[in-house]
């Protein structure tokens, strides 16, 4: 979604470019919690009824897609123009140049930034508990409340988020090391 | 009209960058097997001429013929799919080497060499690899086959780039100051490869500041100034007995600076 968004933002076609820019502007300009409420509580009045879990996943994807769009756009633009020219000069059609030459290098450039976004998204997934998605925070609340163990329950919830992000960070580190191999 | 052995024909080529008139009506013919070296001051339009021949820059007016395929400058429709396809066909006929090499850093040397033959010429992988290895031997880099470009010296990078261009088996190779980004001690190995190519009858157009090289390897030297070809002829004529005042001045300044490069 983000790669498509980024290509849209870089497109010379005014319609595609406008659509992608509107998407980014709209999503970044409104709070995530409003987007979650809108998708879960407002869309049904337009006839689009999503259960809590798909609604939560869609809201997070829609939201982070916009941020990642901007990251990918910057990554694509950070690939030196000479790379694109070299591909074109070999007779590659534009699409092949993008697919084989530009995107692989852009992906490498944006990996650290994407890692940041994923960690932020793991934590923002707590927000979808408000529409009743049974994720970590929702479980902590419902488990803790009846037995008055809220402190323990929330500490466990926090630890779970922490461990999730640590695991993800380790994974990301390995990925970056692997991709850096060609630099040595 | 392709006369049979005319590989490149540039006709009345003009290029504006905004209001800057960079190419002012350039005509240039290059025959099969000819090595043409373009010299001149920085900003004289040499590089722009090269980039206009394969449409990395869209010329403002004029036409380019490469191996019988004529493409007219069409700046108003430069994005039309028909024009883009014509340009791609030109580029398949005219390989290009860059000052900054522009190898693909995320691929090994071999992958750099086979990606276009496989994806563009649709060669099967084993054929593309065979072709790549043949040209790696030619530029003396077969042992670097599986290295990434970051592990190569500048001279090795440019030689790998030359092999990559050769793998597309173009009708003409165009070099845009191929040694300008190299440390002095690495220039020789690249010029040696180019000289071999020239002597084997590879058609080439080279923008260079290496006068010794031009003298050794060129069949014809073209001197450009302010977007026009001022004078052209065999190297000994242009470099030893230039007729035009601007050529004389350029070579005088070059000799005074004492180096092998003029700028």
């Amino acid at each position: 979604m983000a790669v498509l968004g980024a290509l849209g933002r870089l497109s010379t076609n005014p319609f595609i470019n406008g659509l992608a820019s509107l998407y980014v502007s709209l999503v970044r300009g409104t709070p995530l919690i409003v987007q979650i409420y809108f998708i879960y509580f407002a869309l049904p009045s337009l006839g689009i009824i999503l259960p809590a879990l798909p609604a939560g996943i869609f809201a997070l994807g829609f939201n982070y897609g916009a941020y990642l769009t901007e990251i990918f756009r910057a990554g694509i633009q950070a690939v030196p123009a000479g790379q694109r020219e070299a591909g074109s000069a070999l007779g590659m059609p534009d699409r092949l140049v993008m697919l084989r030459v530009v995107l692989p290098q852009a992906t490498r450039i944006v990996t650290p930034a994407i890692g940041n976004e994923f960690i932020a998204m793991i934590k923002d997934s707590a927000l979808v508990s408000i529409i009743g998605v049974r994720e970590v925070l929702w479980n902590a609340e419902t488990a803790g409340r009846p037995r008055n163990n809220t402190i323990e329950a929330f500490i466990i919830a926090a630890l779970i988020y922490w461990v999730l992000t640590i695991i993800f960070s380790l994974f990301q580190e390995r990925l970056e090391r692997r991709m850096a191999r060609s630099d040595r | 009209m392709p006369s049979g052995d005319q590989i490149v024909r540039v006709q009345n080529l003009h290029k504006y960058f905004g209001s800057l008139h960079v190419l002012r009506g350039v005509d240039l013919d290059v025959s099969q097997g000819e090595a043409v070296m373009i010299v001149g001051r920085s900003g004289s339009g040499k590089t722009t001429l090269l980039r206009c021949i394969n449409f990395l820059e869209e010329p403002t007016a004029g036409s380019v013929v490469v191996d019988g395929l004529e493409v007219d400058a069409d700046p108003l429709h430069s994005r039309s799919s028909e024009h883009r396809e014509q340009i791609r066909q030109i580029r398949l006929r005219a390989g290009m080497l860059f000052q900054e090499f522009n190898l693909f850093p995320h691929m090994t040397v071999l992958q750099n060499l086979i990606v276009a033959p496989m994806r563009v010429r649709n060669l099967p992988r084993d054929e593309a690899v065979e072709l790549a290895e043949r040209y790696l031997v030619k530029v003396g880099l077969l042992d670097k086959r599986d290295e990434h470009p970051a592990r190569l010296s500048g001279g090795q990078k440019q030689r790998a780039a030359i092999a990559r261009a050769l793998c597309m088996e173009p009708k003409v190779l165009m070099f845009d100051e191929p040694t300008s980004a190299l440390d002095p001690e690495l220039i020789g190995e690249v010029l040696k490869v180019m000289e071999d190519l020239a002597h084997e009858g590879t058609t080439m157009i080279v923008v260079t500041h290496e006068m010794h090289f031009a003298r050794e390897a060129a069949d014809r030297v073209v001197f450009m100034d302010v977007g026009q070809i001022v004078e052209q002829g065999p190297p000994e004529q242009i470099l030893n007995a230039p007729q035009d005042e601007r050529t004389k001045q350029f070579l005088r300044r070059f000799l005074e600076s004492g180096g092998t490069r003029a700028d």
Side-chain angles (χ1 to χ4, degrees), chain A residues 77-107:
Chain A
Q77 285 176 325
V79 176
Q83 288 290 313
R84 220 165 296 198
E85 288 185 350
S88 302
L90 287 168
M92 294 185 183
D94 294 347
R95 253 187 37 185
L96 190 63
V97 172
M98 185 52 80
L99 210 63
R100 294 270 154 185
V101 177
V102 178
L103 282 181
Q105 295 184 61
T107 306

Side-chain angles (χ1 to χ4, degrees), chain B residues 17 70 154:
Chain B
F17 288 115
E70 174 165 353

Side-chain angles (χ1 to χ4, degrees), chain B residues 58-126:
Chain B
E58 178 83 36
T60 312
S63 72
V64 174
V65 185
V66 180
D67 192 35
L69 176 73
E70 174 165 353
V71 179
D72 298 327
D74 194 359
L76 292 180
H77 303 97
S78 63
R79 299 296 311 169
S80 84
S81 55
E82 191 190 344
H83 190 57
R84 305 292 304 165
E85 180 54 27
Q86 278 192 319
I87 289 172
R88 209 174 67 79
Q89 292 299 330
I90 285 272
R91 288 171 180 164
L92 288 174
R93 292 164 165 78
M96 177 99 166
L97 278 304
F98 302 87
Q99 195 175 330
E100 302 295 337
F101 332 125
N102 294 339
L103 290 175
F104 305 134
H106 56 298
M107 301 180 189
T108 65
V109 169
L110 182 72
Q111 287 166 341
N112 263 280
L113 266 64
I114 62 175
V115 59
M118 284 175 64
R119 304 273 159 186
V120 179
R121 295 178 64 198
N122 293 319
L123 292 185
R125 190 189 162 84
D126 48 347

